[in-house]
Amino acid sequence: MAKIIDGKKIASEMLSEVFMEVKALKEKGIEPCLAVIIVGDDPASKVYVKNKKADCGLVGIRSLEFSLPADTTQKELVDLVKKLNNDRSVHGILCQSPIPKHLDEKEVINTISPEKDVDAFHPVNVGHIMIGDGAFLPCTPTGVMEMLRHEGISAEGKRCVVIGRSNIVGKPMSLLLLAQNGTVTICHSKTKNLPEITRDADILVCAAGVRNLVTADMVKEGAVVIDVSMNRNDEGKLCGDVDFAEVEKVAGYITPVPGGVGPMTRAILMKNTLTAVKNLTKQN
Ligand code: NAD
């Protein structure tokens, strides 16, 4: 039976450390502040933003929420980002994805000042992640790496398979595993013979967003299985890509959904907000 990696517990330890750092900054007269923009009424986005605000509250970071109507224009959104860029009391800025289809998300991300880009989505920060010298860490992949570190698992020399090649999860995940000297294979929707590839993995990261994509016969005995995805089952309950009940019997380590990667992603966002404070106060 696999050991379950408790993301909730690890994240809560990380949040305690962030709390102490925020306290120290406040004693120096600096109040870290994260601005979150949400456009429209997407229910999942509303939950994510609510959770981010709750995390800010827990660690003592001031949170600003800008809730814009679905018919917001591109100019209004970009102008808000520019205003926040210029506001010295704001350290981190993020725009909750997805935004309504009539808006150009790329332009919005490119407008966020790279120094305040706590999601690390700006091309400058993506470039730094590629080179491996970034200040900001991509939240979800870094959350995964933290879970591995916590369990004493290194990717060095291991066969790592990442399912998914998105800009926010799959690609940066692969880069972080590579940076730790893993031998990385990226799989995606056009990959042929997925089970053949996954069966080779010592570390398998699943981020396809496809429920029950990863079954027990696709997992090597003793492998580390990290389930990033957040899907809904027929009862509307949160689930990942992995058939947890069956894979748990084969894997060496496994992450649950919920309570796995999700809380880790949120904890890294809080850490990134502190990084933004440190970078910006250094410059001033
Ligand atoms: P995405 O839709 O942008 O990318 C999905 C990727 O999976 C694509 O690259 C696609 O090629 C690949 N894929 C799809 N079907 C596949 C298949 N049958 N076989 C192999 N590959 C397949 O999604 P994303 O933004 O990368 O997110 C992936 C999942 O992770 C989603 O469920 C999302 O909700 C979740 N997510 C979780 C967190 C977290 O904090 N836990 C953070 C971000 C995203």
Side-chain angles (χ1 to χ4, degrees):
M1 229 31 175
K3 177 177 182 201
I4 295 173
I5 309 179
D6 187 346
K8 221 170 156 181
K9 184 164 168 278
I10 305 168
S12 127
E13 287 163 13
M14 284 171 64
L15 290 179
S16 302
E17 288 166 23
V18 174
F19 174 83
M20 294 312 290
E21 283 198 56
V22 172
K23 194 165 167 266
L25 283 168
K26 282 183 172 168
E27 278 161 12
K28 286 194 225 157
I30 301 164
E31 186 183 30
C33 174
L34 174 66
V36 179
I37 304 171
I38 176 168
V39 190
D41 302 309
D42 180 61
S45 295
K46 282 186 167 177
V47 173
Y48 294 143
V49 169
K50 195 175 120 220
N51 289 340
K52 285 169 189 171
K53 280 174 71 181
D55 290 336
C56 284
L58 271 179
V59 298
I61 291 176
R62 184 162 73 101
S63 67
L64 298 176
E65 181 183 334
F66 295 87
S67 200
L68 306 181
D71 61 356
T72 297
T73 65
Q74 182 73 14
K75 183 171 182 320
E76 284 166 336
L77 182 53
V78 166
D79 282 351
L80 171 61
V81 172
K82 286 180 180 164
K83 193 174 139 227
L84 294 169
N85 282 342
N86 293 327
D87 185 338
R88 291 174 73 143
S89 71
V90 172
H91 303 98
I93 304 169
L94 72 85
C95 182
Q96 185 63 48
S97 183
I99 57 176
K101 290 214 168 17
H102 68 280
L103 297 169
D104 177 359
E105 191 167 20
K106 224 180 189 172
E107 191 196 356
V108 177
I109 290 171
N110 290 355
T111 305
I112 296 175
S113 156
E115 290 80 26
K116 297 191 178 188
D117 171 37
V118 283
D119 263 338
F121 291 167
H122 190 288
V124 165
N125 289 322
V126 173
H128 281 300
I129 295 164
M130 179 84 190
I131 296 165
D133 65 356
F136 290 119
L137 307 162
C139 295
T140 301
T142 303
V144 171
M145 296 308 288
E146 272 298 308
M147 288 175 118
L148 296 178
R149 194 183 63 81
H150 189 272
E151 299 302 321
I153 300 161
S154 166
E156 181 155 330
K158 304 262 169 63
R159 285 196 167 263
C160 308
V161 173
V162 177
I163 311 178
R165 58 171 163 186
S166 72
N167 289 334
I168 63 164
V169 186
K171 281 186 205 163
M173 185 73 249
S174 310
L175 289 172
L176 297 192
L177 290 164
L178 178 65
Q180 211 178 71
N181 298 321
T183 302
V184 185
T185 304
I186 306 173
C187 300
H188 48 78
S189 53
K190 302 281 187 272
T191 297
K192 295 205 167 68
N193 299 325
L194 182 67
E196 206 176 280
I197 300 168
T198 59
R199 269 197 290 271
D200 226 16
D202 302 308
I203 298 175
L204 176 61
V205 181
C206 312
V210 179
R211 178 156 64 102
N212 284 335
L213 176 69
V214 178
T215 47
D217 60 312
M218 293 167 71
V219 174
K220 180 159 90 176
E221 201 168 330
V224 179
V225 179
I226 308 285
D227 197 349
V228 174
S229 289
M230 293 199 285
N231 312 306
R232 296 272 167 193
N233 67 15
D234 293 337
E235 291 85 51
K237 284 210 177 113
L238 217 50
C239 64
D241 288 350
V242 176
D243 176 352
F244 187 91
E246 292 304 313
V247 172
E248 186 189 21
K249 296 175 191 161
V250 184
Y253 293 83
I254 192 166
T255 64
V257 180
V261 178
M264 297 298 295
T265 299
R266 289 165 47 188
I268 301 292
L269 176 66
M270 296 299 107
K271 282 191 90 156
N272 279 354
T273 305
L274 281 190
T275 302
V277 175
K278 286 173 201 157
N279 290 344
L280 290 163
T281 44
K282 228 188 286 167
Q283 285 171 16
N284 290 334

